[in-house]
Amino acid sequence: MLKYLTLMAIIYFFYWLIKQKIRNRKLEQQGIVVEQKGLRPITLMSIVMVVMYGGYMLYFLIFANNA
């Protein structure tokens, strides 16, 4: 199940990234300068992936040993 959640997260990430690029290009065509603030999207995605797999590893270590 985790692999499907990961796949959905990656698909949504690329959908959001492409949507942002299109939005930024439209704003640049109108003469509005868009500055990037905060974390880069790929950094945010990597943090989410590490947290997901870290949580899965903890879940596996805690509940697999009890069986």
Side-chain angles (χ1 to χ4, degrees), residues 9-67:
I10 291 171
I11 290 171
Y12 179 75
F13 170 75
F14 282 114
Y15 167 75
W16 174 81
L17 189 64
I18 291 169
K19 191 171 79 169
Q20 283 294 111
K21 294 273 187 192
I22 292 171
R23 179 180 168 271
N24 288 346
R25 285 187 183 169
K26 286 181 182 178
L27 290 174
E28 287 177 0
Q29 288 175 351
Q30 296 174 0
I32 300 171
V33 178
V34 178
E35 294 183 19
Q36 296 228 349
K37 296 180 182 177
L39 295 173
R40 293 175 50 199
I42 194 69
T43 305
L44 186 61
M45 182 181 153
S46 65
I47 291 170
V48 169
M49 290 297 172
V50 167
V51 168
M52 280 178 55
Y53 281 108
Y56 175 73
M57 184 178 68
L58 288 175
Y59 172 80
F60 180 77
L61 289 174
I62 291 171
F63 291 109
N65 292 332
N66 293 336

